[in-house]
Amino acid sequence: MSYLHATRLHFAGRFRADVSTVNNVRQHFDDDNFNPDLQKPLSGGTDRSNWQPDGTGAWRLLDCRVTSGSRTDGPLASTPVDDMAIGLSVRESGDRSAAKIVDLDPDQQGVSMLFGLTICLIDSHGHVLMQGEFEPAAFYDLRAQRSTGGGDAGRSAYFQSVLTNVTWGDIAKSPCLTQLKQLSAAEQLSIRFITDGYRTGGPMRGYGRIVGTIGPHFANEPHTFIGGRHLQVQTDGPPNPPEFSQSDCVVDAARRKILIDVGNLLKVDSKGDFADMGDISLEVGTGAAAASLGTLSYKAPGTYSATAGIFELPQDRPFTDAELATVLQNPLRMTVRPSGALTASVFGAERDDGIYLRAEQFVFRVAPGEIKHTDLIATRFGAPFANATPRAAAFPFSPEDNLPLPDIAVNPKTDAEGRARLTITGVDPGNPRKFIDGLVYGVVCSLDESQTDLDVVINAERNFISILNFDPFPEVESPGWDDVRKIFKKYGDLYPRPHGPNPYAPFDGLPPSRPVVNLADRDSVIKFAPRILWALELPIEHPSHMPVTRDLSLGKRKRMIAWLRSLGVKGTPIPPIAITAAATKTGKPVTRSTTKSPVVDIRLLRHRS
């Protein structure tokens, strides 16, 4: 049941994403024609892509607090008197650098990923009551015009993952935290949070709103999505369906309730409350035979921050035996009846066959010949769908024809848990974009048992895997500065702070907010070689990993490390370190997909910050 569980905490506040915008545009990757003026913020014109060129990539939580808590054996807690967890500060760890937010590629900015985030619950005395490491995950279900304001301010998406290596402080006085700890498996918790209202101008530039939920994590659950019921927005509901997200449900059979998450679905007004869209009801069944399961109480001020959009139905009673049996075996749907309307229309609906398929990990970076794995997870009416037949096919984001495709293989049948191993093997893309390394691909997956419209899956549901497949990069024996200069320079061009000269001073009369190392200058790089080497050798999950963009191929990293090690540190040579791209094959039987690559309108897949 994951975060969508009777025992959970909700939190709300702000976040800051200090993104760099120089790397938003393909042409900015052209080393030979890079103009230093691109590192200056644009003050006018039609190109608004470069609104924050000096961003560091840092992502931070601000003013976040626990707003409510619930548990299986007690009423909702909304004040510290109800449960001392209410009001706790939700922060990052103070003993490491800030987390980083990273686009996959300028051609795929719709799966931005968080690396190096640590979540803490801290009381008013500074005591850490819970701390966990956020397993890197990309946002999902990016939607436009959900919040007030145009552009990024109106967009919304969610991050779902697990907190690992969870440690606990003295939580004896909090029934919610105590039960959360007792329920969770292997020092892990489930977390999902929604970001919206992001500002790219004005005094709150770089800030946005966040609401979220922390719940228990159970063994064998998906990490990045709910293994439950999934209602897709329907075209006969409100206008402009792409503005709305899917909603997720879990049937709590033990308690005879349904938990439904509409946090990334409903519109949010300028005050941060759910906008009144009319009466929204959850039903089971199809057509006129559908039966109501209850109406969402979402209109009261403060509901969004207090609940993160999670509601429990029926509100005043449990399901009867007959109702529970019906819910477990029939599709769910959501209806909306705007104020003054006589009839309701279907807003969101589960597929009639109840089938849902999703990849556990849906963002990959691969080198030619490198092998990566993830699980496809199939459910039917929220239960594992065993012995189903999965298919997978790759398609390029690039409009060029006759491009090589990554090799995609998938186990012939799902196992008892509804899982089938998907294997991705990188290829040589042939450098079709010239001055940008590699190529972006998508992988769309389906089941033979479900009649799925792939165009809807890709462009409406956003349910596909994104891959950045790097170009090959040859090894060079005893590399010199000329062998690594362009690699360093590109990073300094795209991330001028803190990695380049100071092309402008942001405020008159103040020293420039530039630091330290100029990556285009050999002497400057040598001066900082030990620190650069340390950052290059950190695991990709670490917040101080270099580069912040995570767009450096294995071959380029190996060459840079070899050159830096040849310099030595304080006169002492640094021994070489083995860095490999080896991946272990599972040994399970696989079948190559013969599905034709789908035709995709890639304009719908891209998002520019």
Side-chain angles (χ1 to χ4, degrees):
M1 297 172 72
S2 205
Y3 78 94
L4 199 51
H5 190 275
T7 300
R8 63 189 186 275
L9 297 176
H10 300 300
F11 62 91
R14 296 184 299 155
F15 73 95
R16 179 158 190 220
D18 187 32
V19 297
S20 174
T21 55
V22 183
N23 68 339
N24 280 349
V25 181
R26 272 193 184 197
Q27 288 70 28
H28 295 181
F29 286 72
D30 186 353
D31 299 309
D32 296 331
N33 297 296
F34 185 83
N35 185 340
D37 285 344
L38 295 174
Q39 296 179 342
K40 300 177 182 179
L42 299 180
S43 57
T46 58
D47 183 2
R48 296 300 306 148
S49 64
N50 206 26
W51 58 271
Q52 187 164 277
D54 61 344
T56 63
W59 193 93
R60 297 179 173 91
L61 292 169
L62 299 165
D63 307 323
C64 288
R65 298 201 173 270
V66 175
T67 56
S68 68
S70 65
R71 62 186 198 272
T72 59
D73 56 352
L76 177 73
S78 57
T79 71
V81 175
D82 301 328
D83 193 294
M84 58 85 65
I86 311 306
L88 291 179
S89 178
V90 184
R91 304 184 207 168
E92 308 149 72
S93 173
D95 61 356
R96 62 194 312 185
S97 59
K100 302 298 186 295
I101 186 164
V102 182
D103 283 341
L104 182 64
D105 188 89
D107 285 350
Q108 171 52 313
Q109 299 178 44
V111 286
S112 301
M113 199 164 184
L114 284 178
F115 289 93
L117 176 64
T118 299
I119 299 287
C120 303
L121 299 181
I122 301 176
D123 68 15
S124 59
H125 302 289
H127 300 140
V128 177
L129 301 187
M130 188 281 295
Q131 178 170 307
E133 299 172 11
F134 182 86
E135 186 175 82
F139 66 55
Y140 191 84
D141 230 342
L142 179 66
R143 294 293 160 177
Q145 302 178 37
R146 175 177 172 270
S147 305
T148 54
D152 284 345
R155 291 190 175 99
S156 172
Y158 74 78
F159 295 86
Q160 183 174 335
S161 187
V162 295
L163 301 179
T164 63
N165 300 319
V166 173
T167 57
W168 299 89
D170 183 2
I171 59 173
K173 296 181 180 180
S174 169
C176 286
L177 290 175
T178 299
Q179 193 169 101
L180 195 57
K181 179 182 179 181
Q182 292 170 345
L183 287 171
S184 298
E187 299 180 344
Q188 294 184 335
L189 293 170
S190 176
I191 184 169
R192 174 161 163 169
F193 50 84
I194 304 162
T195 58
D196 72 345
Y198 186 68
R199 303 295 174 178
T200 60
M204 297 306 293
R205 185 183 77 172
Y207 292 84
R209 173 175 48 216
I210 183 172
V211 301
T213 305
I214 299 174
H217 176 73
F218 299 98
N220 301 320
E221 280 190 327
H223 288 204
T224 59
F225 67 100
I226 286 293
R229 315 286 287 270
H230 306 274
L231 281 61
Q232 301 295 338
V233 173
Q234 305 296 294
T235 55
D236 61 345
N240 303 318
E243 297 178 10
F244 297 91
S245 158
Q246 74 175 22
S247 53
D248 300 317
C249 300
V250 165
V251 179
D252 185 346
R255 298 173 60 247
R256 297 171 178 260
K257 298 276 188 177
I258 281 185
L259 294 162
I260 180 169
D261 185 347
V262 294
N264 197 39
L265 169 72
L266 304 184
K267 292 274 192 177
V268 179
D269 63 23
S270 59
K271 297 179 181 179
D273 291 321
F274 285 130
D276 187 347
M277 296 176 58
D279 293 334
I280 298 177
S281 300
L282 187 66
E283 299 178 347
V284 60
T286 59
S292 177
L293 301 175
T295 301
L296 303 186
S297 300
Y298 71 95
K299 301 177 185 179
T303 299
Y304 183 40
S305 60
T307 67
I310 295 176
F311 299 91
E312 189 174 276
L313 297 173
Q315 296 184 49
D316 54 353
R317 62 178 181 84
F319 287 133
T320 64
D321 290 345
E323 286 174 327
L324 181 59
T326 300
V327 166
L328 291 174
Q329 301 173 25
N330 291 275
L332 300 173
R333 73 182 193 184
M334 194 183 312
T335 62
V336 58
R337 183 173 64 84
S339 178
L342 297 178
T343 60
S345 59
V346 177
F347 185 7
E350 193 172 18
R351 291 181 181 143
D352 288 347
D353 59 15
I355 292 176
Y356 187 74
L357 180 70
R358 177 94 174 263
E360 173 70 282
Q361 184 178 346
F362 55 94
V363 179
F364 289 92
R365 293 161 173 83
V366 300
E370 187 177 12
I371 300 172
K372 295 288 184 74
H373 301 285
T374 190
D375 279 349
L376 300 182
I377 303 176
T379 57
R380 173 180 272 173
F381 295 124
F385 188 7
N387 204 37
T389 308
R391 295 281 182 249
F395 61 90
F397 272 50
S398 179
E400 291 89 350
D401 293 327
N402 300 317
L403 294 170
L405 297 175
D407 185 20
I408 308 298
V410 63
N411 284 16
K413 292 290 184 178
T414 59
D415 63 17
E417 296 178 355
R419 292 176 179 259
R421 177 57 59 96
L422 179 79
T423 302
I424 300 167
T425 304
V427 295
D428 180 353
N431 192 226
R433 298 187 295 176
K434 306 305 179 187
F435 43 76
I436 302 183
D437 193 359
L439 192 65
V440 179
Y441 297 93
V443 176
V444 63
C445 305
S446 61
L447 294 178
D448 284 357
E449 291 76 7
S450 179
Q451 298 299 314
T452 305
D453 186 334
L454 294 183
D455 183 65
V456 172
V457 170
I458 296 168
N459 290 318
E461 299 178 11
R462 306 294 200 269
N463 190 358
F464 60 93
I465 298 168
S466 296
I467 303 170
L468 173 55
N469 193 142
F470 294 110
D471 292 313
F473 196 71
E475 291 191 35
V476 173
E477 187 175 354
S478 302
W481 171 247
D482 285 343
D483 297 308
V484 296
R485 177 181 59 82
K486 282 194 173 182
I487 307 173
F488 279 109
K489 180 182 180 300
K490 186 186 292 289
Y491 190 53
D493 288 343
L494 298 176
Y495 277 78
R497 175 185 167 204
H499 305 116
N502 180 18
Y504 75 98
F507 304 104
D508 292 338
L510 295 176
S513 58
R514 298 276 172 193
V516 293
V517 57
N518 177 3
L519 292 182
D521 180 78
R522 177 181 180 275
D523 292 339
S524 181
V525 172
I526 290 175
K527 180 180 178 182
F528 287 88
R531 298 187 194 180
I532 297 171
L533 183 61
W534 171 79
L536 281 170
E537 293 185 327
L538 288 171
I540 192 171
E541 298 84 5
H542 197 284
S544 296
H545 171 89
M546 177 182 174
V548 105
T549 54
R550 269 67 176 178
D551 59 0
L552 188 65
S553 70
L554 180 67
K556 290 181 178 178
R557 182 183 307 281
K558 290 175 67 175
R559 184 181 294 187
M560 294 167 74
I561 289 173
W563 178 73
L564 288 165
R565 286 197 174 280
S566 72
L567 301 175
V569 177
K570 296 182 180 180
T572 303
I574 308 174
I577 184 169
I579 298 180
T580 68
T584 303
K585 295 184 179 180
T586 63
K588 294 183 179 180
V590 297
T591 179
R592 299 273 183 258
S593 173
T594 57
T595 306
K596 183 179 179 182
S597 295
V599 177
V600 182
D601 182 355
I602 61 174
R603 291 172 299 176
L604 299 179
L605 305 181
R606 295 176 181 169
H607 160 56
R608 175 165 296 166
S609 297

